[in-house]
Amino acid sequence: MTSLGTASADPGEVATGRLYVGETRDGSDVGLPVAVVNGTEDGKTLYLQAASDGDELNGVGVIQRLVPRLDPTEISGTILIVGIVNYHAFQVAEHRNPIDDTKMNRAYPGEETGTTSERIAAATFEAATRADLVVDLHQGSTSRMIDETRVRCGTRHRLHDECLELAKAFDCGTVLDKKGPDGQLARAAPDDGVPTIDPELGGAVGFDQESIKIGVTGVRNVLRHYNFLDGEAPMEPQTRASSFDQYGAPAGGLVDFEPDLGDRVDTGETLFTVTDVFGTVKERVTADSTGIFWRTRRLPQVATGEYVCSVGTDIDSY
C-alpha cells in the first residue's frame, strides 16, 4: 500500500484524500486534495502538483482531465498527486497566499514549524522527494505566455541533463533553461536529488483548454518515456532559450503588439507601439536581440515603466 495524506492505494488502485497542513482562522482543518495512483507493477514514482500559485489554474485542469484516464492496471510504478498546493490563494483566486502574503513557489523546501506557506511547502516537498521525478504545473498567471517547460536547476547542476531529458519528454516544444530563484520547487528538489521540471502552460485567467490539452499530453509523454505506461514519448527536438530580455513602457498609453506569441524576432524589429487613446503613436519599442516573442502583459493600458513583454534569447535546440 502507498499513502499520501489520507489517500491510500494498494497495487492496482486509485485513492483520493487530503494532506493535512494546518487550520484556517476559524480552526477548520486545511487539507490539500491528493491522489495516489498505484500501478500493478513495480516502477518509478512520479510526483505531480498544481496551483502552487493560486490563480494558475491550467495545472488543475490537467489533473482534472488526467486522473480519470489513468488505469492503474496499465501502470508500472506510482503517481503521487497534489491537486491544489496553495490552498488559501486558490479559494480567493489570488496568486499569493493571502494569509502570509507569500508566493508559494519561493518557499521551498519549506519549514514544518514556519509560516503558513512554509508549512505547506514542507509537506509537499516531503511528498515530492519521495519520488524519482517531479512535474510542477504552472502557467503565466495573468500574463499571456507561450506553452513552455522550465528547467530551473542551473546548467552546472549535477542533475541538469536529467532535468533536460524530463523537459524533452514532456514535449511542450519550447524550454527555458535558466537557473531559477531560491525557493522554487524546480530548484529545491534537484538539490535533493530529484529531477524536476516546471511546465508553464500558457497564460490566461481561468482555464485555457488548448494549454490544458498540451499539459495532459505532456504528462502522458512523461509516463511513457519513464515506463509507467507502454509506448514511447516523441522526444522531439526542443527549442531552448537560456535568457530573457524584458521590456517596459517608455510612456503611458495603450500597447499594440506587432509579433504574435511564439514568433521569431530579429534585432531592431518592432515589438510594440504605445499610442494615446486617439491612436497617435507616442513610442515604438524594438528588439535588442534576436529571439522568440515569449510573454506579454494581458491588458493594453500601461504607465511609464510598467512591464510590457519579454523575448526569450540565446536560442538553440537540443
Side-chain angles (χ1 to χ4, degrees), residues 29-162:
D29 288 352
V30 175
L32 311 182
V34 298
V36 176
V37 182
N38 196 355
T40 53
E41 302 293 334
D42 291 339
K44 295 181 182 292
T45 298
L46 171 69
Y47 174 76
L48 180 66
Q49 72 171 32
S52 69
D53 297 313
D55 60 350
E56 297 187 6
L57 304 181
N58 284 340
V60 180
V62 170
I63 289 169
Q64 178 197 40
R65 288 155 177 75
L66 176 73
V67 172
R69 295 167 56 186
L70 294 176
D71 182 349
T73 65
E74 298 175 353
I75 290 174
S76 299
T78 305
I79 308 168
L80 305 176
I81 304 170
V82 177
I84 298 167
V85 173
N86 198 338
Y87 176 92
H88 301 285
F90 179 84
Q91 303 304 318
V92 292
E94 293 182 3
H95 193 72
R96 301 166 71 91
N97 182 347
I99 303 299
D100 55 16
D101 192 32
T102 296
K103 181 175 170 65
M104 183 69 67
N105 202 31
R106 299 294 184 273
Y108 285 96
E111 172 54 56
E112 290 183 0
T113 58
T115 66
T116 300
S117 293
E118 289 172 339
R119 290 169 186 248
I120 294 173
T124 53
F125 189 74
E126 190 279 331
T129 52
R130 291 167 54 189
D132 300 292
L133 307 160
V134 170
V135 176
D136 180 15
L137 298 168
H138 287 264
Q139 73 179 73
S141 186
T142 57
S143 297
R144 298 170 60 245
M145 183 186 287
I146 64 173
D147 296 292
E148 48 148 325
T149 303
R150 297 191 169 187
V151 171
R152 302 303 252 162
C153 63
T155 58
R156 296 184 179 181
H157 198 282
R158 69 186 188 280
L159 293 187
H160 181 243
D161 287 347
E162 287 87 345

Side-chain angles (χ1 to χ4, degrees), residues 266-289:
D266 294 322
T267 303
E269 183 176 341
T270 298
L271 299 176
F272 64 90
T273 56
V274 180
T275 75
D276 65 17
V277 295
F278 305 108
T280 301
V281 175
K282 300 172 69 176
E283 296 284 351
R284 186 178 302 275
V285 174
T286 61
D288 294 330
S289 308

Side-chain angles (χ1 to χ4, degrees), residues 146-151 163 166-168 170-177 197-201 238 294:
I146 64 173
D147 296 292
E148 48 148 325
T149 303
R150 297 191 169 187
V151 171
C163 292
L166 181 54
K168 193 169 190 175
F170 195 89
D171 192 31
C172 259
T174 311
V175 173
L176 176 67
D177 184 11
I197 57 171
D198 173 352
E200 294 274 359
L201 299 173
Q238 304 292 294
W294 202 276

